[in-house]
Amino acid sequence: MKKNFKLYISLFLTTLKISAFTFGGGFVIVSLMRKEFVQKRKWLTEQEMLNYTALAQSSPGAVAINTSILVGHHIGGFLGSIVTVLAAALPPLVIISIISLFYNLIRENLIVSYILMGMQAGVAAVLCDVIMGLSASVWRESKTFALAVMILTFLSLALLSINIIFVIVACAVAGVIYFGKIGKKGLKNDLS
Amino acid sequence: MIYLELFWAFFQIGLFSIGGGYAALPLIQQQIVNNYGWLTVSEFADLIIIAESTPGPIALNAATFVGTRVAGFAGAVIATIGFIAPSAVIIALLLFLYNRYKNLKYVNDALRGLRPAVVGFIAAAALTILKLTFFSESAATVGLVNIASLIIFTLALIALRKFKIKPIMVLIGSGILGLVIYGGLSLI
């Protein structure tokens, strides 16, 4: 029990550290977890970590949270996953709470509003950069299908303001039908 | 009642945000800005800036930001739990299926269909922010277009694409440029 307790504490502290100091998206956190859990502490193997990352991506939600649930479960069972989720969620919860408490006060300040106006243009650029990178990678994956889905989803949200949940369900169904057919065709070609 | 609404709004965001990070933005916008009116579009833009400049997943940062503003710290906790709950259940289910079958063809196909959709989603969110930035009124606005924003946007995009500078650094740089340009203009 004492050894278990120690394990949970170090699981908590390691995850907390990763979550508190990682800027940027989920995959940055995942690669840090790999470094800490696989290479340094040897709590799981490289292959297991890869499988969990793939699973985490297949589920809705934040990749960092999903991965920490899976890794926590692997290392310490149900209690382990509770420990890692708490540790992963705590830093953003505390940091953003403090910021939003002062938000109104800070937002009124002229200097801050100048900075935020500049950052707004910067964020627009970051989003455009992400779009360019992602559209190139989905194009490589499924060409015309990708292009059609990109354009249709953009138009249905930006122009028609269709509820995004319907759009998501429709695209998932389209993926199952389209890639399911391709899979069968590929199989037939292989057989003939 | 407000707690229930917060939980439900972020439960839906958690359930339908696939692809992580930026993919959740339009979903958050639709729920928080359009459906519930908890944030204005310009506050939503601030939220993205804050989420980008602090550690942690964007959706989780959004949950805390909106939760705190609508119903204090308790609201933040409830929104966060609401966001995590659906993925925790689905992850448990997937883990069970994965251990049994080791191969989830339908899940993979659905995800391949969703990946390009995510790009469309982010583009829709970007359009909102672009409109807000380029057509905002300021000392640098000529006609309808905010020239300063246009300049900062162009420089930031070049820094990101050409010189592969980290987004956080680009944001800090954009903030400094904003301070210099708008501050300078206000002094004239």
Side-chain angles (χ1 to χ4, degrees):
Chain A
M1 187 63 212
K2 213 166 188 185
K3 195 185 159 209
N4 269 344
F5 184 69
K6 250 185 162 169
L7 176 74
Y8 288 127
I9 291 285
S10 81
L11 189 58
F12 181 82
L13 289 178
T14 315
T15 316
L16 190 76
K17 188 180 82 185
I18 295 173
S19 173
F21 294 108
T22 317
F23 293 83
F27 292 103
V28 183
I29 300 188
V30 169
S31 51
L32 273 174
M33 280 183 172
R34 199 180 130 254
K35 220 178 199 168
E36 279 283 335
F37 293 147
V38 178
Q39 293 168 344
K40 204 167 141 197
R41 298 183 188 266
K42 307 211 183 320
W43 277 335
L44 63 170
T45 67
E46 188 85 50
Q47 192 55 46
E48 284 164 340
M49 187 72 208
L50 272 177
N51 288 346
Y52 287 144
T53 314
L55 263 185
Q57 264 182 284
S58 318
S59 168
V63 178
I65 295 286
N66 293 348
T67 313
S68 64
I69 293 175
L70 289 166
V71 171
H73 182 266
H74 181 96
I75 298 168
F78 181 69
L79 195 60
S81 59
I82 302 261
V83 165
T84 45
V85 166
L86 270 180
L90 215 50
L93 192 63
V94 171
I95 295 168
I96 301 289
S97 288
I98 294 171
I99 290 179
S100 41
L101 277 182
F102 294 106
Y103 173 76
N104 282 333
L105 215 78
I106 298 171
R107 196 66 178 90
E108 312 272 294
N109 185 298
L110 260 184
I111 293 180
V112 173
S113 80
Y114 293 150
I115 295 175
L116 280 177
M117 272 163 84
M119 285 174 113
Q120 223 170 58
V123 158
V126 170
L127 290 179
C128 287
D129 178 49
V130 170
I131 293 164
M132 289 177 193
L134 282 180
S135 51
S137 95
V138 295
W139 168 257
R140 273 194 297 276
E141 198 185 312
S142 53
K143 309 281 186 235
T144 24
F145 176 81
L147 192 67
V149 171
M150 274 192 277
I151 293 172
L152 286 176
T153 48
F154 174 73
L155 290 179
S156 56
L157 286 191
L159 283 183
L160 307 172
S161 359
I162 295 172
N163 191 324
I164 188 170
I165 291 169
F166 294 135
V167 182
I168 290 173
V169 173
C171 293
V173 173
V176 171
I177 294 172
Y178 181 81
F179 294 111
K181 260 196 184 145
I182 283 191
K184 267 185 204 145
K185 249 191 216 157
L187 200 68
K188 264 183 201 156
N189 288 344
D190 283 348
L191 288 175
S192 58
Chain B
M1 191 55 207
I2 185 73
Y3 293 125
L4 215 67
E5 280 183 345
L6 267 175
F7 183 86
W8 180 231
F10 278 95
F11 187 88
Q12 289 177 65
I13 293 171
L15 186 60
F16 288 103
S17 73
I18 296 166
Y22 298 103
L25 284 181
L27 203 63
I28 297 170
Q29 189 191 355
Q30 216 166 51
Q31 288 284 345
I32 303 311
V33 181
N34 306 1
N35 288 2
Y36 288 98
W38 283 327
L39 295 184
T40 64
V41 174
S42 119
E43 284 172 326
F44 177 68
D46 287 348
L47 163 65
I48 302 178
I49 295 171
I50 295 170
E52 266 286 312
S53 333
T54 49
I58 291 178
L60 225 49
N61 290 341
T64 305
F65 187 75
V66 175
T68 313
R69 287 178 58 79
V70 176
F73 187 68
V77 173
I78 283 166
T80 302
I81 293 173
F83 176 77
I84 296 175
S87 59
V89 173
I90 291 171
I91 275 277
L93 206 75
L94 280 178
L95 189 64
F96 171 76
L97 288 173
Y98 169 78
N99 284 334
R100 264 190 93 146
Y101 303 107
K102 297 274 176 197
N103 175 15
L104 305 161
K105 170 134 179 42
Y106 288 115
V107 176
N108 272 329
D109 284 350
L111 279 174
R112 284 177 73 185
L114 278 168
R115 272 197 282 271
V118 166
V119 184
F121 295 162
I122 303 172
L127 186 71
T128 314
I129 306 291
L130 278 171
K131 278 198 285 197
L132 184 78
T133 331
F134 287 163
F135 301 117
S136 62
E137 271 192 47
S138 78
T141 305
V142 177
L144 276 174
V145 181
N146 184 333
I147 303 291
S149 290
L150 206 62
I151 294 171
I152 297 172
F153 172 82
T154 312
L155 290 178
L157 197 59
I158 292 172
L160 287 161
R161 298 250 22 126
K162 200 135 195 217
F163 300 103
K164 309 278 171 216
I165 294 170
K166 277 187 186 170
I168 179 83
M169 290 300 158
V170 171
L171 277 185
I172 293 172
S174 314
I176 295 172
L177 267 178
L179 180 62
V180 170
I181 296 176
Y182 292 114
L185 283 172
S186 72
L187 290 177
I188 294 170

